[in-house]
Amino acid sequence: MAIEIRKLEKQDLDTFIALIRVFEDVFEMKNFTMPDEKYLQALLAKDSFFIFVALSDGEVVGGLTAYTLEQYYSTKPLVYIYDLAVTTQLQRQGIGRKLMASINEYCKNTGVEEVFVQADEVDDYALEFYQATGGIAEKVVHFNYPLNTK
């Protein structure tokens, strides 16, 4: 199976929506409501937000979303991977590795200092995946402040 990894551009709204549907399925997001297309288009057009997708025969089978974070300790930005998923039936076939290699190469070529991602401590698969792709684990505690929830 041939997999193409592609960075989305601002005109790729339908592909972005297809990736969100992959996330919805893989992350088992119950009662998810897709934001309107105008909002998603504006997000897609931001320079500080980017998306890589994995395509098989033109169909989205995985991808990742990431944000650029400007620093004040350095002039080089950081990139935070927010979501990464591959359709369940195609997991453990190297697609996630290709996505990670693509974002790391892109960020290296654009002068990013570091790429980082978080994974739940109980998610052994994610922890193994990020370690196998060269990630270096840090022991941190993540705090959430839920605001404006429904």
Side-chain angles (χ1 to χ4, degrees):
M1 170 180 46
I3 297 294
E4 173 193 359
I5 306 295
R6 186 164 65 85
K7 182 181 177 292
L8 296 189
E9 303 297 330
K10 58 185 164 191
Q11 69 274 10
D12 294 321
L13 179 61
D14 291 340
T15 307
F16 181 26
I17 290 171
L19 176 61
I20 294 170
R21 292 295 182 203
V22 169
F23 291 155
E24 179 183 19
D25 181 53
V26 172
F27 300 144
E28 299 176 350
M29 298 164 58
K30 306 289 187 234
N31 304 315
F32 172 71
T33 302
M34 182 76 67
D36 67 59
E37 289 187 5
K38 184 177 178 181
Y39 172 80
L40 294 175
Q41 185 65 63
L43 185 59
L44 191 58
K46 290 181 183 274
D47 290 336
S48 60
F49 177 73
F50 49 97
I51 305 159
F52 284 80
V53 293
L55 302 163
S56 175
D57 294 324
E59 180 183 339
V60 176
V61 296
L64 63 81
T65 58
Y67 295 88
T68 302
L69 303 172
E70 300 298 328
Q71 296 192 80
Y72 44 86
Y73 296 121
S74 171
T75 58
K76 295 180 180 180
L78 304 172
V79 168
Y80 172 60
I81 298 173
Y82 187 76
D83 276 329
L84 185 152
V86 174
T87 56
T88 307
Q89 63 272 23
L90 295 177
Q91 290 178 2
R92 297 186 181 259
Q93 295 186 28
I95 298 169
R97 283 180 179 273
K98 289 180 180 181
L99 286 163
M100 287 302 298
S102 293
I103 191 170
N104 285 333
E105 185 66 23
Y106 173 82
C107 289
K108 181 180 178 182
N109 292 337
T110 57
V112 171
E113 183 172 315
E114 181 177 294
V115 173
F116 68 102
V117 61
Q118 67 185 40
D120 291 332
E121 198 169 25
V122 297
D123 190 346
D124 292 336
Y125 174 66
L127 297 176
E128 290 172 13
F129 170 75
Y130 292 121
Q131 287 174 339
T133 57
I136 301 168
E138 293 180 345
K139 195 75 166 171
V140 298
V141 177
H142 177 93
F143 292 91
N144 288 332
Y145 295 89
L147 307 171
N148 299 315
T149 57
K150 293 180 183 179

